[in-house]
Amino acid sequence: MAIGPVQLIVLGFEHPHFHGEVVAELEKLRKSDTVRVIDALAVYKDADGDIEVEHLSNLTTEEAIELGSKIGALVGLGIEGEAGFEAGAVAGAEAAAEQGGVRVFSDADAWDVLADIPNDSAAALLLIEHHWAVPLRDAIARAGGFRLGDGFINPLDLVGIGLLTAEEAKELHDLETAGAAR
């Protein structure tokens, strides 16, 4: 299994009204082999600040075990050289098998982000593999290229280069920031 570029996305939801639509869209992307959710953490914070955490992944058990092996290997390699690579690969595969999937986010790891979530709202932490980008990434590497940076562009910035009209950009910007303004 080739691993595509991996991205962490943190999304906020003011008074969330989840009806399965986000999960359905992620599943469509998985079925088309566009993205995979390596690990996800949905966090609900009630009006009193009490937190409920739920894990989500759309990897198969086989993929989770193989991916867990790769993540464990990457972590181990930086710490203990080749011996760490092998130990990390075994530990990652075993953890993925035991948990029924990869869990990159533990409750303890997420607390820094969770403190920023306002009461009576929710957040989703998504670790997404961009599987569609594997051939592009490999072609760039073969050409001697490498990533210098990345990021999402605000719709309002797209007006200046003619990709959107001011009205379209305002609509998209309002849609993307509607929950934050409440």
Side-chain angles (χ1 to χ4, degrees), residues 9-23 26 40-46 56 113 116-126 175-182:
I9 302 173
V10 180
L11 306 167
F13 298 88
E14 181 88 14
H15 305 290
H17 302 286
F18 297 123
H19 303 287
E21 188 176 1
V22 174
V23 173
L26 287 170
L41 189 64
V43 180
Y44 304 94
K45 191 183 268 190
D46 68 18
L56 164 73
V113 174
D116 294 333
I117 301 170
N119 288 358
D120 199 25
S121 68
L125 290 78
L126 302 170
L175 180 66
E176 290 179 354
T177 60
R182 294 179 195 167

Side-chain angles (χ1 to χ4, degrees), residues 25-179:
E25 287 301 319
L26 287 170
E27 192 55 35
K28 277 190 216 175
L29 292 170
R30 172 171 176 48
K31 285 181 182 175
S32 68
D33 207 25
T34 304
V35 301
R36 284 188 280 192
V37 176
I38 295 171
D39 197 16
L41 189 64
V43 180
Y44 304 94
K45 191 183 268 190
D46 68 18
D48 297 325
D50 294 326
I51 293 175
E52 182 182 326
V53 178
E54 184 178 326
H55 285 271
L56 164 73
S57 177
N58 65 356
L59 294 175
T60 66
T61 301
E62 268 183 12
E63 290 170 330
I65 291 169
E66 186 172 349
L67 190 56
S69 172
K70 291 181 187 310
I71 290 171
L74 290 172
V75 172
L77 181 61
I79 298 168
E80 298 291 332
E82 194 168 323
F85 175 86
E86 291 173 14
V90 170
E94 288 173 355
E98 282 177 21
Q99 296 173 13
V102 176
R103 290 210 174 151
V104 175
F105 303 122
S106 70
D107 295 349
D109 294 336
W111 296 125
D112 288 343
V113 174
L114 301 183
D116 294 333
I117 301 170
N119 288 358
D120 199 25
S121 68
L125 290 78
L126 302 170
L127 191 63
I128 295 179
E129 176 204 4
H130 293 277
H131 201 246
W132 64 269
V134 171
L136 176 60
R137 180 210 46 215
D138 293 351
I140 291 167
R142 286 190 298 273
F146 51 92
R147 180 172 22 128
L148 291 174
D150 56 59
F152 288 107
I153 306 298
N154 185 306
L156 299 174
D157 295 329
L158 297 176
V159 175
I161 60 172
L163 285 179
L164 292 176
T165 65
E167 295 79 26
E168 291 169 328
K170 183 177 179 341
E171 241 177 73
L172 284 173
H173 178 73
D174 291 348
L175 180 66
E176 290 179 354
T177 60

